[in-house]
Amino acid sequence: MRCRQLARKEPLVSLSPDTLALLEQQAIELPSWAFGNSGTRFKVFTTPGTPRTPEEKIADAATVNRFTALAPKVALHIPWDKVDDYAALRAFAEDQGVALGTVNSNTFQDNDYKFGSLTHVDPVIRQKAIDHHFDCIDIMHATGSQDLKIWLADGTNYPGQGDLRGRQDRLNDSLRQIYARLGDDHRLVLEYKFFEPAFYHTDVPDWGTSYAQVATLGDKAMVCLDTGHHAPGTNIEFIVMQLLRLGKLGSFDFNSRFYADDDLIVGAADPFQLFRIIYEVVRGGGYGPDSPVAFMLDQCHNVEDKIPGQIRSVLNVQEMTARALLVDSAALTAAQEAHDVLGANGILMDAFYTDVRPDLAAWRESRGLAGDPMAAYAASGYQQRIAEDRAGGTQLSWGA
Amino acid sequence: MRCRQLARKEPLVSLSPDTLALLEQQAIELPSWAFGNSGTRFKVFTTPGTPRTPEEKIADAATVNRFTALAPKVALHIPWDKVDDYAALRAFAEDQGVALGTVNSNTFQDNDYKFGSLTHVDPVIRQKAIDHHFDCIDIMHATGSQDLKIWLADGTNYPGQGDLRGRQDRLNDSLRQIYARLGDDHRLVLEYKFFEPAFYHTDVPDWGTSYAQVATLGDKAMVCLDTGHHAPGTNIEFIVMQLLRLGKLGSFDFNSRFYADDDLIVGAADPFQLFRIIYEVVRGGGYGPDSPVAFMLDQCHNVEDKIPGQIRSVLNVQEMTARALLVDSAALTAAQEAHDVLGANGILMDAFYTDVRPDLAAWRESRGLAGDPMAAYAASGYQQRIAEDRAGGTQLSWGA
Amino acid sequence: MRCRQLARKEPLVSLSPDTLALLEQQAIELPSWAFGNSGTRFKVFTTPGTPRTPEEKIADAATVNRFTALAPKVALHIPWDKVDDYAALRAFAEDQGVALGTVNSNTFQDNDYKFGSLTHVDPVIRQKAIDHHFDCIDIMHATGSQDLKIWLADGTNYPGQGDLRGRQDRLNDSLRQIYARLGDDHRLVLEYKFFEPAFYHTDVPDWGTSYAQVATLGDKAMVCLDTGHHAPGTNIEFIVMQLLRLGKLGSFDFNSRFYADDDLIVGAADPFQLFRIIYEVVRGGGYGPDSPVAFMLDQCHNVEDKIPGQIRSVLNVQEMTARALLVDSAALTAAQEAHDVLGANGILMDAFYTDVRPDLAAWRESRGLAGDPMAAYAASGYQQRIAEDRAGGTQLSWGA
Amino acid sequence: MRCRQLARKEPLVSLSPDTLALLEQQAIELPSWAFGNSGTRFKVFTTPGTPRTPEEKIADAATVNRFTALAPKVALHIPWDKVDDYAALRAFAEDQGVALGTVNSNTFQDNDYKFGSLTHVDPVIRQKAIDHHFDCIDIMHATGSQDLKIWLADGTNYPGQGDLRGRQDRLNDSLRQIYARLGDDHRLVLEYKFFEPAFYHTDVPDWGTSYAQVATLGDKAMVCLDTGHHAPGTNIEFIVMQLLRLGKLGSFDFNSRFYADDDLIVGAADPFQLFRIIYEVVRGGGYGPDSPVAFMLDQCHNVEDKIPGQIRSVLNVQEMTARALLVDSAALTAAQEAHDVLGANGILMDAFYTDVRPDLAAWRESRGLAGDPMAAYAASGYQQRIAEDRAGGTQLSWGA
């Protein structure tokens, strides 16, 4: 199938040179784990060609970048991406045309963490969790990564199981120790999540908790906003606005959801919400070279192909960014101040409903890329090649 | 503001003649009460020009139709639209170029209904509620209306307050009596709602209950689906599919919501959801001249202007219908059967992201209408005229 | 009906003298508006005996206190409780045995506030809203009130309608001005609410926003937690813990809900949640004479009798406080630290399932009160008396 | 810890002989898989003593029954409980004092089912899924099981991925084939689930769909209600009432949840909801020897011990049943018919707040059981014994 609009080449009116220059700066970080297998507690389905090594994951991520020029960085997850020589891994990535990005810690798969990690009541286990973050910081020095991202699975399943307050205090102490170890150019970004894997309480369940925690640490500590980690009905763009206003929006984990933390392709469930989020990023100064906000994906391709799933995702972010940049801010402000509710809403909707795809295809072609990266990838034979080449070995997944 | 796309007149590629012919058949019923004042339990704000009589409401509804050619019917709400002479009201409407449509009963504003109406444990009050529906059927004969729509506010606020089972049985008995009184060309459509104004239980809270009730009545009894009346996260297009499959989807009450029954402009909160709903209507045979499905709006314009609010709404339904009709069904089926997840999703998204507005503007112009009905209405002076003309009197609202 | 347990007088084993001494300190503030009529956007049902003046509301509140000894304060809502002479109102209340408590501002019912109040883009309207709070502070001086509670209905209904960031900045400026006017013994408590009456965005939608705002003001600014103002599934006791930990939990608005902000009787919808909330208050030092936490009700008695509705409510809070005080903290800590999940949960549940009602009835009787205040009120003839005495006049409601 | 109330032996006033006779009939079916390991997509933590064979699971289930006399049946899950000789398995169970109960099919873990099973578009895979149910029916003949329970994981993750209508039609055809194969004493119970593992649509997402499907099959087809499978805020007891009214409530899967399908111990998250559900079962004739309603557990003990987790669960069901049986129905009806909202609610709450634990402990002791089964199990040494005896082998889990 070809995009209906791609058949029409002229005229392209939507995107101004200024907008295209801004889009030129877009850089979306891909999660290495999106290229491994993932699933639900019921079943992890496998796919031919799934990477068996961190290098193969990076190669796949670099492939996404080759077709889109939008994804120059790959985030690592430790220990899933543990290697003996991180300098070599960095060199490998750079050979592939990508850099290593955020280092994600993992304190939820060791048996010791059954009842917590950075919040654990046992000082020995808590120190083990802190030490894991020290290791991650060491890796960051080797990989040239800037961000240490902490998503904490800590929580409880039953009322009374844990002391909510004590856990919060211990969390703060643990974070302080980790923060103190950061390098000069490093940042700590603390992710929050409404629920799962804990089902009664989660130790960092909302942006308020993440903010209150990182505010005690210092300027290098920020909040990570995962778009799938909120209660039903939450106005996420409001949180984006607030965290930018407070100077604490460090990064996004983009994905989408219909119900819980579904980790679907960003923009797949509610494209208008993605538009509103990115509009608020732009409005709040979170987009562009001087912004502290890192754009990352964090998704699971349980049933769809992983590489085109990532290509689709970065294109969705790009297309929605283009729409957000189209909003006529001056007209919007005027309508808002005149309390012209329908007019103001109409200005926003006009940008959302504008079909930016032909312009973006032209932009890609002007840079020597295929206009339709999905079709170009399908035609490239890469998927067939890895399916053949990667016979044998153990496919990587979250459990690896 | 002019729509960005309207500046570009050529080429118009999206909509085929067949699609335009289908769009030609679209008829959306407007609720008379959308032209009166509405609000929340905290405050009803008023607007200059708000109708003081049913006739003024109909005149406003007819104005929406004049600018859009999409809204040839006006639904009545009894007793809000009670008049002495319904034949005269019908003639008035026809003079304005619209017909009178669905009659909506109201058994939630009389003090007798504090503890229920069609479910009430007291036979006298229950009979009063049944009799009100008999009156509505009499009105339908006079107005030429086809549908009697029952939205039941019955429910309880506290566990134990009522006997859930007894109320359900009485509801069924009441509905049977009402059904028996319907004229040959009449239908009864039973609306369901998740909650509000009752806060513990509602007697018709979900499609399953509405379906189970109307299934006992006969062929002329159908379900009404209000898009704002579901639990958070509910997949509404699935219900559309199921009710069409069961032959019981009678009508829609279109509106949109972020949280509860917000009654916002249809398509305002989640345009992609509206697209999926209409796609499922089309796919299931619910669109077109032979379909039993009536398209109605049921919205509140609490802070925005009411007439342009209704114009925006019918345009939203039309634009989304155009997009739904663009879906390449053959390609979609092929991708589905090949388990090409990204391909199938991409076919749907391609239609959604296609900007149909220029084509629809051209279609309007070809019929002698303004390409941009919002701008044309604003320029028409109608709003200023009614604001001046309708000085004095009592503005109508839900309470009137 | 008599409480099943009240028939059994001995032995009473649940509550120790220490616990009873703590319960002795309980003081719950009643909202004057709970005694007026309330309802939904669909209908406000009236009841015989409903107050026509602020004095009658205070008399009813004092009646609740006479039967329970739990409710020594009445919160006012301005302008609903506007009088010419607040000193006289205070004297009237004191004659009735109650004090005047929190002053609640109201910036949501004047037509000027259609598009905002403390966040309004128009400086004139914003100043009017600020001035209203200055008036409230003046009233506080006259009534001897300590707390100025701000619940802000400000928000928007459609994406794009307002500038989220600008509104937040203006809110902060408005709050700073109000804060500067507080008396030495005054506090400002800022309530948050998930949604309603605004349906797209609310300017103070969550505890994080309220906290971030009051943290910039000073020590006398605190957060008010209304138990009905959260997204579905929110762990409210976690927020209680966090705000106590941050030193910013100023007060509760107690009520309960199944769906949205239903404003039902506290403890009616999820008694176990109320237990967990109060347990966390106790655990975090929020209960007792040195605590800064004020306990208030904020409920609507739409279909039930208002005075017994308030009696039931304060009894529910008392009973649940008694259960929370029964938790064996030492055993709980031991089980938590041993990771005995079922044991720790069992300790909490044991307290929750203990029937404290006979002990509390005995406690009441020992203080010269009726053991069963609901029955005693019903037998007192007060309801019949006010129904007769309060004929004529205009019953007060939110709209009054 | 000992239950606070257990220390007080006299007087026991709550439960009448009639109530105790009714409680005598209670029989709760345990899921074999609750004794194996379970977890989330992030991690499955293991526990010493976890069964390695179906026989060991049955032995653990029988242990629960020995301590409670409440759990005389064990449900099987095929293929997780596949054995060569089901007659031998049945004999083994009977030796242990329990019977084999419901057979649960599994069509979500074979790679062929990645895109559906009973709904699959490929007739070969669909037939494989149907055949699996034929195998289950064969097993039922061998085990003496009555119920074939179908929980269908079928669904899609992305809009457009599947044809909702076609899938529903194929589902109906598959169910008809399976139904036709049932033995005379067999039943088919069709479970519904809101979401997970599918994240866009689920083929049987709500009770309405399950009801509409089984209604086409015949009298032996019923609905299974899993208490954790609903949208946020759903009034589950209403559905219980409705399905009993329609004659289609076949069985319960009991568990509890705060957020999604958390599969926590029944009654742990919202004990009052469990009370309301069981009250509605009793009120609707669903409790007792002539009732068609089967009570089952379906839980995951991810972090707590499994056998005491099951003991706690059946005790919770028993205690809540006792409370539900305490409701004074005559008084409740009188209060309901008098519209005494607070009185009616109070009658329900009185039963809920009554502490039935001492009576139930006495009842157990009168039958030769320990009054406190949790303590008795802990003291029995069984857990230590299985931890030692079951060294080596592979612990069973969902993946096994």
Side-chain angles (χ1 to χ4, degrees), chain B residues 213-353:
Chain B
Q213 285 283 354
V214 302
T216 68
L217 301 180
D219 289 347
K220 296 186 294 182
M222 310 283 276
V223 175
C224 172
L225 186 160
D226 183 304
T227 50
H229 287 191
H230 302 84
T234 300
N235 183 325
I236 298 175
E237 59 268 27
F238 182 91
I239 299 174
V240 170
M241 173 281 290
Q242 188 67 277
L243 285 171
L244 281 168
R245 181 178 171 270
L246 296 167
K248 284 295 186 189
L249 182 59
S251 62
F252 278 100
D253 268 9
F254 278 120
N255 52 56
S256 74
R257 47 76 67 101
F258 287 97
Y259 303 96
D261 184 34
D262 306 342
D263 279 333
L264 301 176
I265 289 175
V266 56
D270 186 348
F272 181 46
Q273 183 189 54
L274 178 60
F275 168 77
R276 299 192 311 265
I277 287 170
I278 297 184
Y279 172 72
E280 212 55 53
V281 171
V282 172
R283 190 263 174 256
Y287 184 81
D290 301 329
S291 156
V293 183
F295 285 56
M296 273 194 53
L297 302 184
D298 183 10
Q299 302 180 165
C300 294
H301 302 298
N302 296 352
V303 297
E304 69 273 21
D305 289 336
K306 298 170 204 316
I307 296 171
Q310 292 282 296
I311 293 174
R312 177 74 274 155
S313 301
V314 297
L315 294 178
N316 282 357
V317 173
Q318 183 192 42
E319 291 174 14
M320 223 48 98
T321 306
R323 289 183 181 92
L325 291 169
L326 278 182
V327 174
D328 184 339
S329 300
L332 183 59
T333 299
Q336 287 170 342
E337 298 193 349
H339 307 304
D340 178 3
V341 176
L342 293 166
N345 177 248
I347 290 164
L348 207 70
M349 299 314 293
D350 182 30
F352 177 68
Y353 282 133

Side-chain angles (χ1 to χ4, degrees), chain C residues 53 58 151 253:
Chain C
T53 63
I58 290 170
W151 168 63
D253 268 9

Side-chain angles (χ1 to χ4, degrees), chain A residues 163 169 200 237 245 283, chain C residues 163 169 200 237 245 283:
Chain A
D163 177 39
D169 292 338
Y200 163 60
E237 58 269 29
R245 180 178 171 269
R283 189 264 174 254
Chain C
D163 176 39
D169 292 338
Y200 163 59
E237 60 268 28
R245 180 178 172 269
R283 191 265 173 253

Side-chain angles (χ1 to χ4, degrees), chain D residues 101-211:
Chain D
T102 301
V103 169
N104 293 263
S105 64
N106 176 326
T107 56
F108 50 89
Q109 293 192 312
D110 187 299
N111 278 320
D112 280 346
Y113 301 138
K114 186 173 184 179
F115 297 108
S117 61
L118 295 182
T119 68
H120 204 288
V121 73
D122 179 338
V124 174
I125 295 177
R126 189 157 73 89
Q127 191 58 50
K128 174 175 171 171
I130 295 168
D131 288 346
H132 170 68
H133 288 86
F134 292 167
D135 291 346
C136 288
I137 293 170
D138 291 344
I139 292 171
M140 291 167 70
H141 284 292
T143 55
S145 302
Q146 182 197 35
D147 285 359
L148 172 64
K149 189 166 74 186
I150 303 179
W151 168 62
L152 213 60
D154 290 29
T156 60
N157 276 3
Y158 290 97
Q161 177 186 335
D163 176 40
L164 304 186
R165 170 67 172 272
R167 295 173 69 96
Q168 200 69 205
D169 293 337
R170 289 190 294 274
L171 171 61
N172 194 248
D173 180 80
S174 300
L175 290 174
R176 285 175 190 273
Q177 295 187 47
I178 295 165
Y179 186 83
R181 187 70 82 95
L182 291 177
D184 288 345
D185 298 333
H186 289 170
R187 304 193 308 173
L188 179 161
V189 289
L190 180 62
E191 192 167 338
Y192 59 92
K193 185 174 181 181
F194 189 48
F195 81 100
E196 195 213 18
F199 295 128
Y200 162 59
H201 110 277
T202 296
D203 287 299
V204 189
D206 51 23
W207 78 264
T209 295
S210 182
Y211 169 69

